[in-house]
């Protein structure tokens, strides 16, 4: 039986951050990551469903719940249907830190292809200039930009700003066709902040 997957969390930002992980409505685990290469390895279950990873500036792990809706998410379903893992970057609620999901290993017999076993990145250089009405800055602790219409089921002028900036990431809740990525189960991953 498969032991699970590893997901490395790596902070390449110039400031310390906290990265948190949660599967479904389960326990939130948070890890302070030092600037310039701080890292943590997550060993997740062979069936890690609705897993989300997010991060925010600083070292205070007590504000994880407050920061979550102010942050972009790396989302995983490990051991999904059809022998596949599913992963994506989501700006549905907000965006706060540049992220890349990459593979550290691909299961034997699988290979990279379109939206399959390949890296996905979202990076917005100047958040203050980017975050214009109807979207709004979140303030502390996430220091991000709320995607006001993101939780809806249709593209709007507000969600389109996020899609234009990060074409491979979710910009609203049903933005599936260009935003969902797969790789064969038994692959391993890395989430890099400020890649």
């Amino acid at each position: 039986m498969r032991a699970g997957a590893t997901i490395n969390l790596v902070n390449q930002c110039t400031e310390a951050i906290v990265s948190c992980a949660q599967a479904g409505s389960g326990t939130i685990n948070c890890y302070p990551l030092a600037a310039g290469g701080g890292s943590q390895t997550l060993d997740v279950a062979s069936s890690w469903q609705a897993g989300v990873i997010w991060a925010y500036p600083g070292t205070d792990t007590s504000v994880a719940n407050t920061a979550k809706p102010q942050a972009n998410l790396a989302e995983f379903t490990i051991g999904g249907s059809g022998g596949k893992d599913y992963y994506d970057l989501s700006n549905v609620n907000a965006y706060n830190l540049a992220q890349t999901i990459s593979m550290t290993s691909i299961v034997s017999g699988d290979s990279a292809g379109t939206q399959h076993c390949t890296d996905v990145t979202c990076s917005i250089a100047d958040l203050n200039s980017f975050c214009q009405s109807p979207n709004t800055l979140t303030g502390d602790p996430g220091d991000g930009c709320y995607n006001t219409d993101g939780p809806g089921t249709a593209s709007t002028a507000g969600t389109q700003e996020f899609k234009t900036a990060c074409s491979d990431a979710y910009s609203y809740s049903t933005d599936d066709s260009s935003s969902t990525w797969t790789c064969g189960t038994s692959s391993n991953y890395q989430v890099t902040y400020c890649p």
Side-chain angles (χ1 to χ4, degrees), residues 69 71-73 75 89-95 146-152 159 162 169-175:
N72 45 325
L73 305 175
E75 300 179 313
L89 293 176
S90 175
N91 297 327
V92 167
N93 293 323
Y95 170 94
Y146 284 122
N147 183 356
T148 303
D149 296 333
T159 66
F162 285 90
Y170 272 84
S171 59
Y172 60 96
S173 63
T174 57
D175 185 14

Side-chain angles (χ1 to χ4, degrees), residues 5-10 31 33 38-44 104 188-190:
T6 60
I7 302 173
N8 297 331
L9 309 176
V10 179
Y31 311 94
L33 303 178
S39 65
Q40 175 72 39
T41 298
L42 305 179
D43 291 311
V44 301
T104 58
N188 295 300
Y189 302 90
Q190 179 164 302

Side-chain angles (χ1 to χ4, degrees), residues 27-181:
T27 301
I28 296 173
N29 295 298
C30 293
Y31 311 94
L33 303 178
S39 65
Q40 175 72 39
T41 298
L42 305 179
D43 291 311
V44 301
S46 58
S47 179
W48 200 58
Q49 304 295 306
V52 294
I53 296 170
W54 69 99
Y56 54 93
T59 58
D60 184 356
T61 60
S62 70
V63 295
N65 272 328
T66 304
K68 185 178 179 183
Q70 300 178 355
N72 45 325
L73 305 175
E75 300 179 313
F76 292 88
T77 290
I78 302 298
S81 62
K84 294 179 184 176
D85 297 340
Y86 295 82
Y87 62 98
D88 67 79
L89 293 176
S90 175
N91 297 327
V92 167
N93 293 323
Y95 170 94
N96 69 333
L97 288 171
Q99 288 184 34
T100 294
I101 298 175
S102 58
M103 273 32 60
T104 58
S105 67
I106 298 173
V107 65
S108 177
D110 207 345
S111 59
T114 303
Q115 287 183 241
H116 186 76
C117 299
T118 52
D119 297 359
V120 57
T121 298
C122 178
S123 180
I124 299 173
D126 184 348
L127 202 55
N128 288 327
S129 296
F130 167 82
C131 196
Q132 302 297 316
S133 179
N135 304 314
T136 59
L137 292 169
T138 69
D140 293 335
D143 290 332
C145 177
Y146 284 122
N147 183 356
T148 303
D149 296 333
T153 58
S155 177
T156 68
T159 66
Q160 190 58 46
E161 292 299 316
F162 285 90
K163 197 63 174 178
T164 299
C166 294
S167 60
D168 293 332
Y170 272 84
S171 59
Y172 60 96
S173 63
T174 57
D175 185 14
D176 298 296
S177 63
S178 63
S179 308
T180 302
W181 303 70

